[in-house]
Amino acid sequence: GKTLADFGAEVIKIEPPGKGDPLRKWRLLKNGNSVWWEVQSRNKQSVTLDLTQREGQDVLRLLVKEADVLIENFRPGKMEEWGLGYEDLKKLNPRLVMARISGYGDRPGFGIIAESMGGLRYLTAEPGRVPVRVGVSIGDTLAALHGVIGILMALYHRDRDASGGEGQVVDIALYE
């Protein structure tokens, strides 16, 4: 979302009620927000929705009717549990592109473990020593960039179709 927003897309970030996205208070704080939050959420608008409740789900459905792209990174299957899976949402907006990011495609995961399983940590190791973490969340960053490429290709494909074009799902797994 950050990269798309940097290039001018209108991005609406949905945060849970209460304290919002945990990234707001992660590590070093400046003026009450984490520096990392300021970096990752720049150029975005935020809205609070409780997607576990019908009212929050209904607001998301209203947003989806007008959206080009929906990016989600819940545990696989969670959106379907809420009646917000791609098959449900494309009935509201057949042109919707939905990007789904998970650890392994069919199950959740965490960046550092996916980096190990994908072989990235092997590349940073030295003989006889434990693999070292790359200085940034490289697995998350690479997955996000591949997500952006997939989203842009899906939009291109959709908009190139002379008959009006349909959206599609872009599925990104951290370990890939």
Side-chain angles (χ1 to χ4, degrees):
K2 173 185 64 84
T3 302
L4 295 170
D6 285 347
F7 286 103
E10 179 183 9
V11 176
I12 300 171
K13 178 175 179 39
I14 296 175
E15 297 186 62
K19 297 178 182 179
D21 188 322
L23 192 58
R24 285 182 177 273
K25 302 299 176 196
W26 192 62
R27 296 192 178 186
L28 179 64
L29 300 182
K30 182 176 180 179
N31 300 325
N33 279 327
S34 82
V35 175
W36 198 234
W37 164 262
E38 297 294 339
V39 169
Q40 291 300 319
S41 297
R42 68 179 180 247
N43 299 325
K44 296 180 187 176
Q45 301 173 49
S46 289
V47 64
T48 300
L49 292 179
D50 187 347
L51 295 177
T52 67
Q53 302 297 313
R54 180 70 184 188
E55 296 82 13
Q57 295 166 5
D58 288 343
V59 172
L60 180 65
R61 286 183 185 94
L62 289 172
L63 290 170
V64 162
K65 284 182 181 179
E66 303 297 320
D68 286 303
V69 177
L70 173 68
I71 302 170
E72 68 97 357
N73 69 338
F74 290 105
R75 289 178 175 270
K78 182 53 78 177
M79 294 289 280
E80 284 75 11
E81 285 178 29
W82 292 331
L84 299 171
Y86 184 71
E87 294 303 316
D88 298 302
L89 297 178
K90 80 174 188 179
K91 292 174 187 169
L92 302 172
N93 181 353
R95 294 176 52 78
L96 180 70
V97 171
M98 184 177 200
R100 311 189 90 165
I101 302 176
S102 65
Y104 305 97
D106 60 346
R107 59 190 195 279
F110 194 67
I112 60 172
I113 297 168
E115 289 170 13
S116 296
M117 291 190 71
L120 188 61
R121 295 285 172 116
Y122 173 79
L123 297 174
T124 64
E126 295 179 22
R129 300 186 75 182
V130 175
V132 247
R133 181 182 189 278
V134 179
V136 295
S137 300
I138 194 74
D140 295 326
T141 302
L142 289 171
L145 287 173
H146 282 91
V148 168
I149 294 166
I151 288 168
L152 294 174
M153 292 305 298
L155 291 170
Y156 176 75
H157 180 267
R158 179 197 74 181
D159 293 345
R160 200 172 149 216
D161 185 342
S163 63
E166 288 190 4
Q168 58 185 291
V169 175
V170 176
D171 190 354
I172 306 103
L174 290 174
Y175 86 100
E176 294 176 323

